[in-house]
Amino acid sequence: MNVINPDLAAPDTDAATELTARDFTTDQEVRWCPGCGDYAILKAVRGVLAEAGRRPDDVVFISGIGCAARFPYYLASYGFHTIHGRAPAVATGVKMANPDLDVWVVGGDGDFLSIGGNHLMHALRRNVDLNLIMPNNAVYGLTKGQYSPASATGMRSPSSPAGSVEAPVNAALLALGAGARFIARSADTLQDHLPGVLKAAQANKGASFVEILQNCVVFNDGAFEAVRDKGLTADRTLRLEHGQPMIFGKDRDKGIAVDWQTGTARVVPVGDGGPVYDVTDHDQTNLALATILARMDAPDLPLALGVLYHAPADDFTVQRGDAPGRVIGRADLTGLLAAGKTWTVGDADVA
Ligand SMILES: Cc1ncc(C[n+]2csc(CCOP(=O)(O)OP(=O)(O)O)c2C)c(N)n1
Ligand code: SF4
């Protein structure tokens, strides 16, 4: 493990100084493959950080291992490139020790859903105030293309040469099941959409989970045609807006009608100008609706993008009764480790 970004360039920020994306940019050479979707995500993240106005030295990016996990190198904030799957646990410690920090966690679908599924689940259910972003390329990129828990059934890869027989994990559903109170979805290519979703995630006080569909040009190119192909996006995706009827399509001529009895959704035609009888309004506080939206996918239904669920609840610091601004002082780790019941292993104990 290494603490990175020694060149943390905290600009002379005071309340009056306007930050730009450059203030969050390091001198590190960005080492993703040409055309990787992570570039676009990085661009959006830098812009959102600048707009949020937190000083770079108030921001921390924590990652596990993977291509996506390289984010901390490229952001002029504090950063910690930790261990595969463990970033949510490390981030929880950072946030608990200093609740005033703006803590982001970045991990790929392997990092968050496979080896780190456990840590992700607990950060979500505890509602630790973290912004967890998961570039989902549905493959293990860094280790050269093995199938991941998010890979489509049938995907051939070095570790599934005859085609995966498994159903992919639905990340949004998993987050809902874990008790997450903020769940959103966007995509690398949607630069008119992703920043807004990230802003909403950052503004939420609690665990915010954002799945970002990301193209891995080398090992899983075109996995998310619905968001990559401009000609298809309008008809294959639904952009959610809280309180607004769920209408989509190039000509805005289709809507989503929810059947609350069966918990299913169907596409209905939307008439010209007249009242939209059947179309359901999006309510991001509605858990049942979020479950239906999370499951929607091709070929019958559009993929739901935006904030699927946002039902704010006390974050972990409030649950444990912190006074506002509480910062934990220095701990005596050695004393802590030596406290309580300790013993010395002698020869007799070694069989
Ligand atoms: C404990 C441990 N197990 C396995 C690995 C090997 N490993 C590194 S990254 C990775 C998966 C990367 O895939 P993903 O998290 O989806 O990120 P991507 O590279 O696609 O962005 C694996 C299996 C590791 N570094 N550490
Ligand atoms: S292997 Fe895939 S995810 Fe990794 S940098 Fe290359 S294109 Fe991006």
Side-chain angles (χ1 to χ4, degrees), residues 302-347:
L303 194 68
L305 300 174
V307 179
L308 277 66
Y309 186 55
H310 187 196
D314 286 348
D315 80 294
F316 198 63
T317 59
V318 176
Q319 292 169 39
R320 73 174 184 178
D322 281 12
R326 174 185 193 237
V327 175
I328 295 176
R330 280 193 165 277
D332 174 11
L333 196 56
T334 313
L336 189 66
L337 288 173
K341 196 173 174 193
T342 61
W343 63 93
T344 305
V345 179
D347 288 346

Short mmCIF file of all heavy atoms in Angstrom, two decimals, residues 302-347:
data_model
loop_
_atom_site.label_atom_id
_atom_site.label_comp_id
_atom_site.label_asym_id
_atom_site.label_seq_id
_atom_site.Cartn_x
_atom_site.Cartn_y
_atom_site.Cartn_z
N PRO A 302 -36.38 -0.10 -21.55
CA PRO A 302 -35.15 0.72 -21.59
C PRO A 302 -34.38 0.59 -20.28
O PRO A 302 -34.94 0.24 -19.25
CB PRO A 302 -35.70 2.14 -21.77
CG PRO A 302 -37.04 2.11 -21.10
CD PRO A 302 -37.59 0.72 -21.33
N LEU A 303 -33.10 0.86 -20.36
CA LEU A 303 -32.25 0.85 -19.18
C LEU A 303 -32.47 2.17 -18.44
O LEU A 303 -32.39 3.24 -19.05
CB LEU A 303 -30.80 0.74 -19.65
CG LEU A 303 -29.75 0.40 -18.62
CD1 LEU A 303 -29.93 -1.04 -18.12
CD2 LEU A 303 -28.37 0.58 -19.23
N ALA A 304 -32.75 2.09 -17.15
CA ALA A 304 -33.01 3.31 -16.37
C ALA A 304 -31.71 3.99 -15.98
O ALA A 304 -30.81 3.35 -15.41
CB ALA A 304 -33.83 2.97 -15.13
N LEU A 305 -31.60 5.27 -16.29
CA LEU A 305 -30.41 6.05 -15.96
C LEU A 305 -30.80 7.22 -15.07
O LEU A 305 -31.89 7.76 -15.19
CB LEU A 305 -29.76 6.60 -17.23
CG LEU A 305 -29.28 5.58 -18.27
CD1 LEU A 305 -28.80 6.30 -19.53
CD2 LEU A 305 -28.18 4.69 -17.71
N GLY A 306 -29.87 7.62 -14.22
CA GLY A 306 -30.14 8.74 -13.31
C GLY A 306 -30.24 8.24 -11.89
O GLY A 306 -29.74 7.16 -11.56
N VAL A 307 -30.93 9.01 -11.06
CA VAL A 307 -31.07 8.61 -9.66
C VAL A 307 -32.26 7.67 -9.54
O VAL A 307 -33.42 8.07 -9.66
CB VAL A 307 -31.24 9.84 -8.74
CG1 VAL A 307 -31.40 9.40 -7.29
CG2 VAL A 307 -30.05 10.78 -8.88
N LEU A 308 -31.97 6.39 -9.32
CA LEU A 308 -33.03 5.38 -9.21
C LEU A 308 -33.70 5.47 -7.84
O LEU A 308 -34.90 5.28 -7.70
CB LEU A 308 -32.46 3.97 -9.40
CG LEU A 308 -32.26 3.46 -10.82
CD1 LEU A 308 -31.21 4.25 -11.57
CD2 LEU A 308 -31.90 1.99 -10.82
N TYR A 309 -32.90 5.76 -6.83
CA TYR A 309 -33.42 5.73 -5.46
C TYR A 309 -32.65 6.73 -4.61
O TYR A 309 -31.42 6.77 -4.63
CB TYR A 309 -33.23 4.33 -4.88
CG TYR A 309 -33.86 4.11 -3.52
CD1 TYR A 309 -35.21 4.35 -3.30
CD2 TYR A 309 -33.09 3.64 -2.45
CE1 TYR A 309 -35.78 4.14 -2.05
CE2 TYR A 309 -33.67 3.41 -1.20
CZ TYR A 309 -35.02 3.66 -1.01
OH TYR A 309 -35.59 3.45 0.23
N HIS A 310 -33.40 7.57 -3.90
CA HIS A 310 -32.76 8.48 -2.96
C HIS A 310 -33.71 8.72 -1.80
O HIS A 310 -34.66 9.49 -1.91
CB HIS A 310 -32.39 9.81 -3.63
CG HIS A 310 -31.58 10.70 -2.73
ND1 HIS A 310 -31.40 12.04 -2.97
CD2 HIS A 310 -30.89 10.42 -1.59
CE1 HIS A 310 -30.65 12.56 -2.01
NE2 HIS A 310 -30.33 11.59 -1.17
N ALA A 311 -33.48 8.03 -0.73
CA ALA A 311 -34.30 8.16 0.48
C ALA A 311 -33.34 8.46 1.63
O ALA A 311 -32.85 7.55 2.29
CB ALA A 311 -35.08 6.88 0.73
N PRO A 312 -33.03 9.75 1.83
CA PRO A 312 -32.00 10.11 2.81
C PRO A 312 -32.30 9.55 4.20
O PRO A 312 -33.46 9.47 4.63
CB PRO A 312 -32.04 11.64 2.83
CG PRO A 312 -32.68 12.04 1.54
CD PRO A 312 -33.64 10.93 1.20
N ALA A 313 -31.25 9.14 4.88
CA ALA A 313 -31.37 8.63 6.24
C ALA A 313 -30.11 9.05 7.00
O ALA A 313 -29.13 9.46 6.38
CB ALA A 313 -31.48 7.10 6.22
N ASP A 314 -30.15 8.94 8.32
CA ASP A 314 -28.99 9.32 9.13
C ASP A 314 -27.75 8.57 8.66
O ASP A 314 -27.78 7.35 8.49
CB ASP A 314 -29.23 8.97 10.60
CG ASP A 314 -30.22 9.94 11.25
OD1 ASP A 314 -30.53 10.98 10.63
OD2 ASP A 314 -30.68 9.62 12.36
N ASP A 315 -26.67 9.32 8.46
CA ASP A 315 -25.44 8.63 8.08
C ASP A 315 -24.79 8.04 9.35
O ASP A 315 -25.27 8.23 10.46
CB ASP A 315 -24.50 9.58 7.34
CG ASP A 315 -23.74 10.47 8.27
OD1 ASP A 315 -24.39 11.30 8.93
OD2 ASP A 315 -22.51 10.32 8.40
N PHE A 316 -23.69 7.32 9.13
CA PHE A 316 -23.11 6.54 10.23
C PHE A 316 -22.62 7.41 11.40
O PHE A 316 -22.72 7.01 12.55
CB PHE A 316 -21.97 5.68 9.69
CG PHE A 316 -21.59 4.54 10.59
CD1 PHE A 316 -22.50 3.53 10.87
CD2 PHE A 316 -20.32 4.47 11.16
CE1 PHE A 316 -22.16 2.47 11.72
CE2 PHE A 316 -19.98 3.42 12.00
CZ PHE A 316 -20.89 2.42 12.27
N THR A 317 -22.12 8.61 11.08
CA THR A 317 -21.64 9.46 12.18
C THR A 317 -22.80 9.90 13.05
O THR A 317 -22.68 9.99 14.27
CB THR A 317 -20.88 10.70 11.66
OG1 THR A 317 -21.74 11.45 10.82
CG2 THR A 317 -19.62 10.33 10.92
N VAL A 318 -23.94 10.17 12.44
CA VAL A 318 -25.12 10.55 13.23
C VAL A 318 -25.60 9.35 14.05
O VAL A 318 -25.93 9.46 15.23
CB VAL A 318 -26.25 11.07 12.30
CG1 VAL A 318 -27.51 11.37 13.11
CG2 VAL A 318 -25.79 12.29 11.54
N GLN A 319 -25.59 8.17 13.40
CA GLN A 319 -26.04 6.97 14.12
C GLN A 319 -25.19 6.73 15.36
O GLN A 319 -25.67 6.27 16.38
CB GLN A 319 -25.93 5.74 13.22
CG GLN A 319 -26.90 5.72 12.06
CD GLN A 319 -26.54 4.62 11.07
OE1 GLN A 319 -26.14 3.53 11.46
NE2 GLN A 319 -26.65 4.89 9.80
N ARG A 320 -23.88 7.03 15.28
CA ARG A 320 -23.05 6.76 16.46
C ARG A 320 -22.99 7.96 17.40
O ARG A 320 -22.27 7.94 18.39
CB ARG A 320 -21.65 6.30 16.05
CG ARG A 320 -20.77 7.37 15.49
CD ARG A 320 -19.34 6.89 15.24
NE ARG A 320 -18.55 8.03 14.79
CZ ARG A 320 -17.26 7.99 14.51
NH1 ARG A 320 -16.60 6.87 14.64
NH2 ARG A 320 -16.62 9.06 14.12
N GLY A 321 -23.72 9.00 17.06
CA GLY A 321 -23.91 10.11 17.99
C GLY A 321 -22.79 11.12 18.01
O GLY A 321 -22.53 11.75 19.04
N ASP A 322 -22.10 11.30 16.88
CA ASP A 322 -21.03 12.30 16.84
C ASP A 322 -21.57 13.71 17.02
O ASP A 322 -22.61 14.05 16.47
CB ASP A 322 -20.35 12.28 15.46
CG ASP A 322 -19.38 11.14 15.33
OD1 ASP A 322 -19.38 10.26 16.18
OD2 ASP A 322 -18.62 11.16 14.34
N ALA A 323 -20.79 14.52 17.75
CA ALA A 323 -21.07 15.95 17.76
C ALA A 323 -20.61 16.50 16.42
O ALA A 323 -19.65 15.98 15.83
CB ALA A 323 -20.32 16.61 18.88
N PRO A 324 -21.26 17.56 15.90
CA PRO A 324 -20.82 18.12 14.62
C PRO A 324 -19.34 18.48 14.66
O PRO A 324 -18.84 19.00 15.65
CB PRO A 324 -21.69 19.36 14.45
CG PRO A 324 -22.86 19.16 15.35
CD PRO A 324 -22.40 18.28 16.48
N GLY A 325 -18.61 18.19 13.61
CA GLY A 325 -17.20 18.57 13.51
C GLY A 325 -16.27 17.68 14.30
O GLY A 325 -15.08 17.95 14.42
N ARG A 326 -16.77 16.58 14.85
CA ARG A 326 -15.91 15.70 15.66
C ARG A 326 -14.76 15.12 14.83
O ARG A 326 -14.96 14.61 13.74
CB ARG A 326 -16.75 14.55 16.20
CG ARG A 326 -15.94 13.49 16.95
CD ARG A 326 -16.88 12.36 17.33
NE ARG A 326 -16.26 11.47 18.29
CZ ARG A 326 -16.10 10.16 18.09
NH1 ARG A 326 -16.48 9.63 16.95
NH2 ARG A 326 -15.56 9.41 19.00
N VAL A 327 -13.56 15.25 15.35
CA VAL A 327 -12.41 14.64 14.71
C VAL A 327 -11.72 13.78 15.77
O VAL A 327 -11.44 14.25 16.87
CB VAL A 327 -11.43 15.69 14.16
CG1 VAL A 327 -10.17 15.03 13.61
CG2 VAL A 327 -12.10 16.53 13.08
N ILE A 328 -11.48 12.53 15.42
CA ILE A 328 -10.84 11.64 16.39
C ILE A 328 -9.37 12.02 16.51
O ILE A 328 -8.69 12.26 15.51
CB ILE A 328 -10.97 10.17 15.93
CG1 ILE A 328 -12.45 9.78 15.94
CG2 ILE A 328 -10.16 9.24 16.83
CD1 ILE A 328 -12.71 8.40 15.40
N GLY A 329 -8.86 12.08 17.76
CA GLY A 329 -7.45 12.43 17.97
C GLY A 329 -6.55 11.25 17.68
O GLY A 329 -6.99 10.21 17.20
N ARG A 330 -5.28 11.40 17.98
CA ARG A 330 -4.31 10.33 17.74
C ARG A 330 -4.61 9.14 18.63
O ARG A 330 -4.87 9.29 19.82
CB ARG A 330 -2.90 10.82 18.07
CG ARG A 330 -2.32 11.64 16.95
CD ARG A 330 -0.84 11.83 17.16
NE ARG A 330 -0.23 12.31 15.93
CZ ARG A 330 0.13 11.51 14.94
NH1 ARG A 330 -0.03 10.22 15.02
NH2 ARG A 330 0.66 12.00 13.84
N ALA A 331 -4.55 7.95 18.05
CA ALA A 331 -4.80 6.75 18.84
C ALA A 331 -3.49 6.06 19.16
O ALA A 331 -2.52 6.16 18.40
CB ALA A 331 -5.70 5.81 18.04
N ASP A 332 -3.45 5.38 20.29
CA ASP A 332 -2.26 4.62 20.67
C ASP A 332 -2.46 3.19 20.16
O ASP A 332 -2.97 2.33 20.87
CB ASP A 332 -2.10 4.66 22.20
CG ASP A 332 -0.96 3.75 22.66
OD1 ASP A 332 -0.19 3.27 21.80
OD2 ASP A 332 -0.85 3.52 23.88
N LEU A 333 -2.03 2.96 18.90
CA LEU A 333 -2.31 1.68 18.26
C LEU A 333 -1.57 0.54 18.95
O LEU A 333 -2.13 -0.55 19.18
CB LEU A 333 -1.92 1.75 16.78
CG LEU A 333 -2.48 0.65 15.89
CD1 LEU A 333 -3.98 0.59 15.96
CD2 LEU A 333 -2.04 0.87 14.44
N THR A 334 -0.31 0.78 19.33
CA THR A 334 0.46 -0.28 19.98
C THR A 334 -0.20 -0.66 21.31
O THR A 334 -0.36 -1.84 21.63
CB THR A 334 1.90 0.21 20.24
OG1 THR A 334 2.39 0.81 19.07
CG2 THR A 334 2.81 -0.94 20.64
N GLY A 335 -0.60 0.38 22.04
CA GLY A 335 -1.27 0.12 23.32
C GLY A 335 -2.55 -0.67 23.11
O GLY A 335 -2.87 -1.59 23.86
N LEU A 336 -3.26 -0.31 22.06
CA LEU A 336 -4.53 -0.98 21.76
C LEU A 336 -4.29 -2.46 21.44
O LEU A 336 -5.00 -3.35 21.94
CB LEU A 336 -5.19 -0.27 20.57
CG LEU A 336 -6.61 -0.69 20.23
CD1 LEU A 336 -7.58 -0.29 21.33
CD2 LEU A 336 -7.04 -0.05 18.92
N LEU A 337 -3.26 -2.72 20.63
CA LEU A 337 -2.98 -4.10 20.25
C LEU A 337 -2.53 -4.93 21.45
O LEU A 337 -2.82 -6.12 21.54
CB LEU A 337 -1.89 -4.13 19.17
CG LEU A 337 -2.32 -3.65 17.78
CD1 LEU A 337 -1.13 -3.56 16.84
CD2 LEU A 337 -3.39 -4.56 17.18
N ALA A 338 -1.83 -4.30 22.38
CA ALA A 338 -1.31 -5.04 23.54
C ALA A 338 -2.33 -5.10 24.67
O ALA A 338 -2.09 -5.76 25.69
CB ALA A 338 -0.02 -4.38 24.03
N ALA A 339 -3.43 -4.41 24.54
CA ALA A 339 -4.43 -4.37 25.61
C ALA A 339 -5.20 -5.69 25.67
O ALA A 339 -5.23 -6.44 24.71
CB ALA A 339 -5.40 -3.21 25.38
N GLY A 340 -5.81 -5.94 26.79
CA GLY A 340 -6.67 -7.12 26.92
C GLY A 340 -5.86 -8.39 27.04
O GLY A 340 -4.73 -8.40 27.51
N LYS A 341 -6.47 -9.46 26.59
CA LYS A 341 -5.87 -10.78 26.82
C LYS A 341 -4.77 -11.07 25.79
O LYS A 341 -5.05 -11.20 24.60
CB LYS A 341 -6.99 -11.83 26.72
CG LYS A 341 -6.60 -13.14 27.31
CD LYS A 341 -7.79 -14.07 27.33
CE LYS A 341 -7.35 -15.45 27.81
NZ LYS A 341 -8.38 -16.44 27.56
N THR A 342 -3.55 -11.13 26.22
CA THR A 342 -2.45 -11.49 25.31
C THR A 342 -1.71 -12.68 25.91
O THR A 342 -1.78 -12.94 27.11
CB THR A 342 -1.46 -10.33 25.12
OG1 THR A 342 -0.89 -10.01 26.38
CG2 THR A 342 -2.14 -9.11 24.53
N TRP A 343 -1.02 -13.42 25.10
CA TRP A 343 -0.26 -14.55 25.58
C TRP A 343 0.95 -14.79 24.69
O TRP A 343 1.00 -14.26 23.56
CB TRP A 343 -1.12 -15.82 25.69
CG TRP A 343 -1.64 -16.27 24.36
CD1 TRP A 343 -1.07 -17.17 23.53
CD2 TRP A 343 -2.84 -15.83 23.70
NE1 TRP A 343 -1.83 -17.33 22.39
CE2 TRP A 343 -2.92 -16.51 22.47
CE3 TRP A 343 -3.85 -14.92 24.04
CZ2 TRP A 343 -3.97 -16.31 21.59
CZ3 TRP A 343 -4.88 -14.72 23.14
CH2 TRP A 343 -4.94 -15.42 21.93
N THR A 344 1.88 -15.55 25.16
CA THR A 344 3.08 -15.86 24.40
C THR A 344 3.01 -17.31 23.97
O THR A 344 2.72 -18.19 24.78
CB THR A 344 4.34 -15.65 25.26
OG1 THR A 344 4.30 -14.30 25.77
CG2 THR A 344 5.61 -15.87 24.45
N VAL A 345 3.22 -17.54 22.68
CA VAL A 345 3.19 -18.91 22.19
C VAL A 345 4.53 -19.57 22.50
O VAL A 345 5.59 -19.08 22.12
CB VAL A 345 2.93 -18.93 20.66
CG1 VAL A 345 2.92 -20.37 20.13
CG2 VAL A 345 1.61 -18.24 20.34
N GLY A 346 4.49 -20.64 23.27
CA GLY A 346 5.73 -21.33 23.64
C GLY A 346 5.90 -22.60 22.82
O GLY A 346 5.02 -22.96 22.01
N ASP A 347 7.05 -23.27 23.00
CA ASP A 347 7.33 -24.51 22.27
C ASP A 347 6.22 -25.54 22.43
O ASP A 347 5.86 -26.25 21.49
CB ASP A 347 8.65 -25.12 22.75
CG ASP A 347 9.82 -24.29 22.25
OD1 ASP A 347 9.60 -23.45 21.35
OD2 ASP A 347 10.93 -24.47 22.79
#
